[in-house]
Amino acid sequence: MTNPWRPLALAAALIVVVGVGVATAQTLIVRKAPAGSNVEFVLNAETIGTAVVNANGDATIVAGGTAKSDMDAYLYVDTCDTLRRVVVVQRSQSPAAPDSGCTRNQISGLYLVRPISTLVVDVGGAIPTVLLRQGSYSLAPPRAWATAPKGIIGFGGGAFTKFSEFGNVACGTVTQCSRDESGFGYTAGVSYWLSPYIGAEGAYLKPSKPTADGSGDGFRFNSALDADVFTVVGKVGGPVGPVRLYGEIGADYHRATLETTETIDTQTVVVDGVTQTTKGGTQTLSLETSGWGLMFGGGLEVWLARRFAVYGEGSYIAIKGNAREGEGLIDDHVIALTFGVRVHIY
């Protein structure tokens, strides 16, 4: 139907409600009625639901015998001593007369009432008003999301890390060599936001320990890299409600120990008829490095409460440096995906 009266409703009917969903039955919500009084929901001449008004002056009826099809309807409210009756009457019908001692008011307008409709009727004023929604409502107040704060923020969480070049260096030219360059570690640190848009951060990252195991003719080895990474970055962000998106760039300082344990088997050979034995053994080699590198990344944090947020970010961390004693160097990088919680301290 295209009747132009259908959208009409009084401006006074704009009652604050939230939570749109899909209704499965006609629902009546009566507001600002006397606490403890009764509410009836009448469709044409049939009472399809009753309820008692709670202490807040609200009553909700999910009708059991709803209309099976759409209809254009007029709405009426009967005000009795201890009863509020909402009457929905199809346009082609006339409502039954109100009970003795009751006062009837018609809510101005013609309304499209569907099997999924929800009617929110305010009976607190001299003239009842209605808010009609083709869907469901909740009377719960809207959730007040926190905004991304400035100030000092502590954080901690887990980290999935992957080294890029460790396996290539550890295995070298050995073809029978397995490697595990990724895994889980952890992180912790402190951010300071001068404003919701500009900040700085210092953090500690303990990446997973990459390993490699190889073997060849008469030998076998295993290698592992144990690293500690400290980062200092500047941050640029932008809050969107409770979410802050940010990018970061800065430097990292690492200290790492690469340890390789190699075992060489005892070898026996015959040279010019003489048997010669080369004794095998096991040795452990260590390379300790430190140095500065570049890091950058980005992420987001979601503030679920004024002092609490969850976050996730991705980072590129260059692991570069020289041996702390002797000769040697490291030139690698880590891809880190970190996730955890943030707490607004001050």
Side-chain angles (χ1 to χ4, degrees), residues 151-174:
I152 300 174
I153 299 169
F155 64 90
F160 178 81
T161 60
K162 185 180 188 307
F163 284 79
S164 176
E165 300 297 330
F166 171 82
N168 294 332
V169 174
C171 291
T173 59
V174 177

Side-chain angles (χ1 to χ4, degrees), residues 157-161 163 183-188 203-209 225-230 255-257 317 334 336 338:
F160 178 81
T161 60
F163 284 79
F184 287 94
Y186 57 90
T187 184
Y204 168 73
L205 171 67
K206 183 65 174 180
S208 63
K209 183 184 292 187
L225 178 66
D226 187 15
D228 297 286
V229 182
F230 305 87
R255 291 176 65 90
T257 300
I317 304 170
V334 175
T338 59

Side-chain angles (χ1 to χ4, degrees), residues 3-10 72-76 87 89 91 106-113 128 130 132:
N3 193 307
W5 284 36
R6 184 175 296 165
L8 291 180
L10 298 178
D72 290 317
Y74 296 111
L75 307 181
Y76 303 86
V87 183
V89 180
R91 181 174 58 172
Q106 181 176 0
I107 299 176
S108 178
L110 180 66
Y111 298 88
L112 174 63
V113 178
V130 67
L132 173 64

Side-chain angles (χ1 to χ4, degrees), residues 10-41:
L10 298 178
L14 296 179
I15 302 168
V16 178
V17 289
V18 296
V20 178
V22 177
T24 57
Q26 282 170 350
T27 301
L28 170 67
I29 299 174
V30 172
R31 309 209 66 191
K32 299 182 182 178
S37 61
N38 297 311
V39 172
E40 289 185 358
F41 187 9

Side-chain angles (χ1 to χ4, degrees), residues 10-15 77 107 111 120-125 127-131:
L10 298 178
L14 296 179
I15 302 168
V77 176
I107 299 176
Y111 298 88
V120 183
V121 179
D122 186 339
V123 299
I127 300 176
T129 59
V130 67
L131 177 62

Side-chain angles (χ1 to χ4, degrees), residues 2-218:
T2 59
N3 193 307
W5 284 36
R6 184 175 296 165
L8 291 180
L10 298 178
L14 296 179
I15 302 168
V16 178
V17 289
V18 296
V20 178
V22 177
T24 57
Q26 282 170 350
T27 301
L28 170 67
I29 299 174
V30 172
R31 309 209 66 191
K32 299 182 182 178
S37 61
N38 297 311
V39 172
E40 289 185 358
F41 187 9
V42 177
L43 178 63
N44 293 323
E46 178 186 0
T47 300
I48 58 175
T50 61
V52 177
V53 178
N54 63 23
N56 296 323
D58 302 324
T60 300
I61 299 173
V62 179
T66 62
K68 300 300 187 293
S69 61
D70 298 353
M71 67 179 182
D72 290 317
Y74 296 111
L75 307 181
Y76 303 86
V77 176
D78 292 349
T79 302
C80 310
D81 184 22
T82 60
L83 175 69
R84 300 297 183 270
R85 178 183 294 115
V86 177
V87 183
V88 178
V89 180
Q90 193 167 359
R91 181 174 58 172
S92 61
Q93 299 185 28
S94 297
D99 294 346
S100 177
C102 296
T103 301
R104 171 166 291 173
N105 286 287
Q106 181 176 0
I107 299 176
S108 178
L110 180 66
Y111 298 88
L112 174 63
V113 178
R114 292 176 167 170
I116 62 169
S117 294
T118 297
L119 297 94
V120 183
V121 179
D122 186 339
V123 299
I127 300 176
T129 59
V130 67
L131 177 62
L132 173 64
R133 178 71 186 187
Q134 308 303 346
S136 64
Y137 279 89
S138 170
L139 294 178
R143 177 166 183 171
W145 289 95
T147 56
K150 62 181 182 179
I152 300 174
I153 299 169
F155 64 90
F160 178 81
T161 60
K162 185 180 188 307
F163 284 79
S164 176
E165 300 297 330
F166 171 82
N168 294 332
V169 174
C171 291
T173 59
V174 177
T175 56
Q176 295 181 357
C177 185
S178 62
R179 62 190 73 180
D180 184 1
E181 299 171 301
S182 61
F184 287 94
Y186 57 90
T187 184
V190 175
S191 301
Y192 179 69
W193 286 90
L194 299 172
S195 74
Y197 307 96
I198 301 293
E201 182 176 284
Y204 168 73
L205 171 67
K206 183 65 174 180
S208 63
K209 183 184 292 187
T211 60
D213 296 279
S215 63
D217 186 12

